[in-house]
Amino acid sequence: METGSQRFRDLALDEFVGRLASAEPVPGGGSASAVAAALGAGLVAMVAALSIGRPRYAEHEAVHTSAGARGRELADRFLTLAERDAEAYAEFAAALKLPKDTDDERAARSSALKAAARVAAEVPLTCVEACRELVAAAEELAGRSNANAASDLAVATLLGEAAARGAAANVLVNLPSVADETFAATASSRVGALLAEISALGLATRAIVSSGEARGPLTASNA
């Protein structure tokens, strides 16, 4: 969503936080979660960049190149999701304001609310899925990248986990308004599975960082 003539990504950090703290409904928790994930993705890209070209880590250069590209792409994707989350909220808010004086109007409003709620659940679900990619990229780099930046990978996983849990909360809060039990059950199950995977990957990454373990090259069998 553009705020005035600017996208969230084009705002200065202080201005974005100021708008987050305002009485305006957007940006809200969904956008904040996506922005937090973008910061984590940026850290993954940074660690990769600090590792490329270092003789000590030369055997992992393919991982550095891949993780760096993924980190940059994910950062961009998360910032787009921040916009999409705000747009989804705006659509739901607009549906709430539809007239409901006649049976036809009430039916149209109900249909619009359900459709908007589905999008408002699907967007943060996409964010949770992307958070898994983020934490997985950090895990692949752990023990295979510049040891001086290892703690930044731990921070990246913590940001990814926090973002995933924030986005998951937005998925779940919108499901009742979708009024589709099958969709709700599927989305809830998917969220639970993703959060479990993200938590496990984050814990594994931080354990490697804490131990200072140097890992062997990434292969098809341990990817």
Side-chain angles (χ1 to χ4, degrees):
M1 167 177 282
E2 295 190 359
T3 308
S5 60
Q6 290 182 295
R7 301 173 299 172
F8 292 149
R9 69 168 66 214
D10 297 326
L11 299 174
L13 179 60
D14 181 67
E15 186 175 1
F16 177 80
V17 173
R19 293 187 181 184
L20 193 65
S22 75
E24 293 298 316
V26 293
S31 295
S33 295
V35 170
L39 296 177
L43 286 173
V44 166
M46 181 194 77
V47 173
L50 289 171
S51 305
I52 290 174
R54 300 292 182 98
R56 179 179 174 184
Y57 310 107
E59 65 179 338
H60 304 302
E61 188 156 347
V63 173
H64 305 155
T65 301
S66 173
R70 271 190 292 165
R72 291 187 294 275
E73 187 277 326
L74 280 167
D76 180 75
R77 200 192 315 171
F78 283 124
L79 292 177
T80 297
L81 284 168
E83 303 286 344
R84 287 181 58 198
D85 190 90
E87 290 166 357
Y89 175 84
E91 288 296 319
F92 187 79
L96 283 172
K97 296 177 182 177
L98 290 174
K100 49 182 177 178
D101 298 323
T102 68
D103 288 343
D104 286 346
E105 287 176 343
R106 284 190 288 272
R109 180 177 181 272
S110 176
S111 179
L113 281 170
K114 291 174 185 176
R118 181 182 287 261
V119 174
E122 289 173 339
V123 171
L125 178 56
T126 300
C127 185
V128 180
E129 291 170 340
C131 285
R132 192 218 175 273
E133 295 182 53
L134 161 60
V135 180
E139 191 277 335
E140 287 184 4
L141 281 173
R144 300 186 178 101
S145 55
N146 193 324
N148 294 325
S151 64
D152 294 298
L153 290 177
V155 174
T157 66
L158 291 167
L159 286 167
E161 288 184 59
R165 293 190 179 280
N170 275 4
V171 174
L172 299 178
V173 77
N174 283 298
L175 293 180
S177 297
V178 179
D180 182 331
E181 292 184 3
T182 300
F183 175 80
T186 300
S188 295
S189 177
R190 178 66 173 152
V191 164
L194 284 166
L195 289 181
E197 290 181 39
I198 289 166
S199 178
L201 286 166
L203 286 171
T205 303
R206 294 191 293 275
I208 294 165
V209 168
S210 295
S211 71
E213 173 190 353
R215 301 162 79 194
L218 186 67
T219 63
S221 63
N222 61 19

